[in-house]
Amino acid sequence: MVFSKDFLQQAEKAKIQMAFSWGKEVRVAPNAINRSSIFGVVKRGKRKRLKNVVLATIGETEISFSGVALDQADKDVFYELLHRAKNGFINATKEQKAIEVRFSTRDFLRAIDRGESGASQRWLRDSIERLSEARIKIRYKNLVYKGPLIVREIENMDTKDIILDIDKAIGELFTQRTITKVGWRTRLALGSKDTTKWLYDYILSHRATKASPHRIGLQRLWNMSHVEPKELTGPEMAQYKHQVKESLETLKKKAVIKSYGLSKNVLVFTRA
């Protein structure tokens, strides 16, 4: 069967529209991001600068990362940027290379549940700079995305308005039916608990039913959530297991998971 050019263009547009259609209280990211340490669990203090680091992941995905290590607060910023760019992705022309996003710093900070002080505004600019410097390469099946998280940034120093360009090609990661929708208020309510936030997104990226629960070793889980994998010692594993258990209890209370088990350093869970 041969399809017309118009039909194929309409089918592609419908696929993009479906991928970028979500509600006000939802945020969305590709599973490849939610199952890796592109946005990981980062120790407080000076962050490491990485170059072409291969990140631990699962399945058919391969990821490398360059830039300053990004944490879960940076991911909140990225989530909000994607949310504000979604109509741009839907309405983008074939020739268009980037999606423009405009916002005021104060409005953006309110959206990610942050204060509007001068310190918060400086933090937001620093976060955007980290996102601008980051370079990723994601290979999933026959799809490869190689490029920045943010293409360009312009700030009006008088109005404090910011204009950003997001690479339109990153939208391909959303049209592979491998995306995760997260409850925005639930995620923001987790505050600065990076391990819990990372697990929240990771859990939602799996179906994890009673008939087919998700199972993963804690060593692998640690490596996937940290940009620099390492073999945990006995005491380190015990401490990490305790952190994971605390996070799971929090997520169980928020009706994210229905049940979980931690035995022989293996996590098994089902979603609520």
Side-chain angles (χ1 to χ4, degrees):
M1 183 180 293
V2 178
F3 296 104
S4 69
K5 184 177 179 181
D6 285 346
F7 177 87
L8 293 174
Q9 287 177 342
Q10 289 299 317
E12 182 64 22
K13 187 173 180 63
K15 186 169 69 171
I16 292 171
Q17 187 166 3
M18 183 180 297
F20 284 93
S21 295
W22 61 79
K24 184 171 65 173
E25 296 302 321
V26 172
R27 297 295 182 270
V28 176
N31 285 350
I33 291 178
N34 290 331
R35 297 174 181 175
S36 76
S37 58
I38 290 176
F39 298 94
V41 178
V42 179
K43 190 176 180 180
R44 297 295 179 260
K46 187 175 181 180
R47 305 194 194 198
K48 291 190 176 181
R49 185 174 293 277
L50 309 158
K51 186 172 178 61
N52 294 327
V53 173
V54 177
L55 304 183
T57 185
I58 57 174
E60 302 175 80
T61 306
E62 299 173 14
I63 303 175
S64 62
F65 177 88
S66 295
V68 178
L70 303 173
D71 65 11
Q72 293 302 301
D74 295 319
K75 191 176 186 181
D76 288 340
V77 173
F78 189 61
Y79 265 133
E80 183 62 19
L81 288 174
L82 290 174
H83 181 68
R84 292 173 184 242
K86 65 176 186 171
N87 289 333
F89 278 102
I90 291 171
N91 298 315
T93 63
K94 186 177 180 181
E95 296 76 20
Q96 197 172 333
K97 300 296 184 184
I99 308 300
E100 184 180 277
V101 183
R102 294 173 177 249
F103 55 87
S104 73
T105 54
R106 291 181 183 276
D107 177 62
F108 196 96
L109 286 165
R110 285 194 294 270
I112 61 174
D113 206 22
R114 287 239 172 193
E116 301 172 36
S117 66
S120 292
Q121 292 181 48
R122 288 190 295 274
W123 172 85
L124 178 59
R125 286 194 290 271
D126 288 345
S127 179
I128 289 172
E129 185 175 341
R130 288 191 290 271
L131 293 172
S132 299
E133 291 179 2
R135 297 292 183 272
I136 60 173
K137 182 178 180 181
I138 298 177
R139 181 187 298 275
Y140 175 71
K141 294 184 177 180
N142 63 340
L143 172 70
V144 177
Y145 174 77
K146 183 178 181 181
L149 294 173
I150 296 176
V151 177
R152 182 179 63 117
E153 174 198 353
I154 300 173
E155 181 176 0
N156 186 317
M157 299 307 293
D158 293 325
T159 65
K160 302 298 182 185
D161 286 351
I162 295 176
I163 304 171
L164 299 178
D165 282 347
I166 298 175
D167 189 353
K168 190 182 80 168
I170 205 170
E172 288 296 318
L173 296 173
F174 286 78
T175 59
Q176 302 299 307
R177 297 184 179 180
T178 54
I179 56 176
T180 303
K181 295 183 177 182
V182 306
W184 189 227
R185 294 299 148 195
T186 299
R187 180 177 162 87
L188 291 179
L190 298 175
S192 59
K193 299 176 180 178
D194 272 16
T195 298
T196 310
K197 275 185 164 180
W198 190 91
L199 278 170
Y200 175 54
D201 292 358
Y202 179 80
I203 287 167
L204 291 182
S205 74
H206 295 87
R207 289 196 178 96
T209 63
K210 182 179 179 180
S212 182
H214 183 68
R215 180 186 301 269
I216 186 167
L218 290 183
Q219 177 63 66
R220 190 174 187 184
L221 194 71
W222 195 97
N223 286 340
M224 286 174 59
S225 58
H226 293 74
V227 289
E228 293 184 299
K230 70 172 185 176
E231 193 72 24
L232 296 178
T233 64
E236 287 173 334
M237 177 61 77
Q239 182 182 21
Y240 182 57
K241 188 174 184 179
H242 178 70
Q243 289 176 349
V244 169
K245 186 174 182 179
E246 283 190 332
S247 295
L248 293 170
E249 284 296 324
T250 297
L251 296 174
K252 190 174 182 181
K253 289 175 183 175
K254 292 185 177 294
V256 177
I257 56 174
K258 185 174 183 180
S259 64
Y260 74 88
L262 281 169
S263 178
K264 297 182 180 179
N265 296 332
V266 174
L267 168 63
V268 181
F269 66 82
T270 60
R271 282 180 50 183

